Amino acid sequence: MSSSRPPSINAGSRPHDHAPLTPSGLRQSRTVSSSSASDDMAGDTAGPSTRHDYSNTETNETTSLLHHDRVHEGPCDHGTFSPRVSSPPPNAAHLDPETGSTADSEGSVPASETQLKNWRKAFSSRVKSKKMTDSSNLAHQHGVKDSWKMYLSYYVPFFIWIKQYRWSWLKGDFTAAVTIASMYLPMALSYADNLAHVPPINGLYAFAINPFIYALLGSCPLMVVGPEAAGSLLIGSIVKNSIDLGRGEEDNAVLQAKVAGVAVGIAGATVFLMGVFRLGFLDSVLSRPFLRGFISAIGVVIFIDQLIPVLGLHHAATAAPGVTHGSTVEKLEFVITHFGEKHELTAWIGVGGFFVIMVLRAIKRRLQPRYPAVAYFPDRLIVVVLSAVFAWSFDWEKQGVAVLGKVEAASGHIFAFRNPFQLSHMTHIRDAMGTSFLIGMLGFFESSVAAKSLGGEEIVEGMQLSPNRELVALGAANLCGACFMAIPAFGGYGRSKVNKSTGGKSPMSSIMLSIITVICILFLLPWFYYLPKPVLSALIMAVAWSLIEEAPHDISFFLRIKGWTELSLMAVILAVTVFFSLNLGIAIGIGLSLLQVIRHATRPRIQILGRIPNSDRFANAEEHPQDLEFVEGCLIVKIPEPLTFANTGELKNRLRRLELYGTGNAHPALPRLRSQASNRNIIFDIHGVTSMDGSGTQVLVEIVQSYRDRGVRVFFSRPVSRENKVWELMERSGIVELVGGKNRFVDDVKDALRMTDVEDFEGAGACAVASDEVS
């Protein structure tokens, strides 16, 4: 054996014949040099035939990958495949069988402590998920302390950010909380009164409770939750529907608050359970065109709805049959036909307030890039306060201008607790179920967009954004709010952006916002009496305008890329919402979006491959067939995705079309274009099949069986690892046996083609021998 080696690596050239000539840097870290390892060198360094005593050697990250120790005495001439020395035992410790960590053997442990430790381990193993168990093992391997506090801090982020909180953040958080309160507390009153049709104080409850709960559980430190126009409008539709069904009178504030609490409770419970069952991926189900079309439709609906109180046509609308609860088109028609009946002073106040709000908003937008301090200017608060002062000074109420009036709880008690899931509420629960689900989904989608845009991990270290934890936090916040009959509150990008731009650094700004709101509820409610309703409606119209003005950008983008499907979806949602109802528009929009998702998921994406000339590479033959060459007698099909029940329903038909026409784009009315001889061998490139379910496996078995029955040879190239579940399914289902054994699974398409050539040659030889014998 040694004589056959090249002279440069003869056995006597160096003491370790199986070691590389130039070991890598990793190996050199503790590799004994040849000079120190020679037999005639004196010193303490162990020679090549000396065994290390690993019980006294510390193994760490600098330990050599290649130990120069031999498993036997005498010269070693095994080449590359030298026998290995046994692995060193653990160093002066014994391995914990449950945690995988080493425990010190010094001293004895009392039996009671041992039993308590075993009980804790047993309980922990039952409570922990598989991912948590794997994380624990990983932590032990890297010397990181693994404790229940670490997981508690992950699921309750309050324990993360409160430890890192600095007194220097307090000023920014307080400033942000005051700014948001001055801008959005009047909006909350308006949302509750004009959109949700519940007592105004219920809008304040949404700022008093929900931000505090979210600050404890939310994973986005800069996001501030609060009532939004869309959710408030949907609550109003539920309240109106309850009145239409005869559940109560229109002036029954207690009933309206109760219905709102039930609807918000269902929405919160839905979102909370989605988080518990890890359904955070649903934020990607509804498309951007659906959200844009729906939000634009809500903007149009809100804008036209608020024209009635802004112009002082409320009494005329109440007297006209079918207007108050009619469609948006009917309300617009009413405004146009009854414009002459408007209340002059109310119209001047409402239109003037809207004009002032929009002008101040435009000025702030223009000045803020150059003067960031402009963000602190409370323009909306100034408009609301001045209008209230004017209403009190000039006694607008006696002149026919509607004012907010006495702000109080419907039950007469502030922060009265009411369980929204009482059996006596079952009728309201059934009525509100569908719309409440949409409130929860829409709120989560909007919150998800805001959270992803804001980030915040650079401020509070360790707070990682998680859709599932966001669902739990938003659901818990709305469940708590529902117990006090608050309107729905979710994250909003505009409000959270104000929080960030005015100095907010942590969730403490949300807690301070809740404290400020509670102070307002306890001490400042009488000051809200003279707030003019047309000014509050003008505030909502400004919000509606902001929802509408975002649509042209998306429309121009889809026009530029010719996205007719997306534009059609937006147009359908807008038209149905405006001409019929909000609920019908939502239902049709979600239905169309889900149909698109299902269609995309169930369409097989298999490709026929052709060889790139003068190479062993293959490409999709349907894109540039003139640039590729096809292998005679072989059909090469690439399956680039996992096989599931969803995408294997049409797999047989797609394969059949490739067999007949060589492309999936041909109409099935065409006659056969590929001869039967072109499909003697089928090669499946299954590199993308990283998983299969039972239905996909069954369909694949049927496809392979059909080919074998027709005498077609089947090969699989680039399969996954033999340790993968896909291979296990192929063996158990009989696919491996059907195709002819494991040798039909090769590493590349070119290897499969060589096998087809060999088998064709052997088959031709066998036929020739048979014909000679017959002759």
Side-chain angles (χ1 to χ4, degrees), residues 96 98-99 109 111-128 132-133 136 145-149 151:
D96 190 317
E98 291 194 28
T99 63
V109 181
S112 58
E113 292 186 14
T114 304
Q115 292 177 358
L116 180 62
K117 184 178 180 181
N118 293 336
W119 179 85
R120 286 178 178 174
K121 288 182 179 180
F123 179 77
S124 176
S125 62
R126 290 179 179 273
V127 172
K128 284 184 176 181
M132 292 172 66
T133 304
S136 298
K145 185 179 180 181
D146 174 57
S147 65
W148 63 270
K149 293 181 181 179
Y151 297 104

Side-chain angles (χ1 to χ4, degrees), residues 271-291:
V271 173
F272 183 83
L273 291 175
M274 286 170 59
V276 170
F277 292 106
R278 307 181 65 79
L279 300 180
F281 63 87
L282 289 177
D283 66 340
S284 304
V285 171
L286 298 184
S287 62
R288 176 75 176 268
F290 166 80
L291 294 176

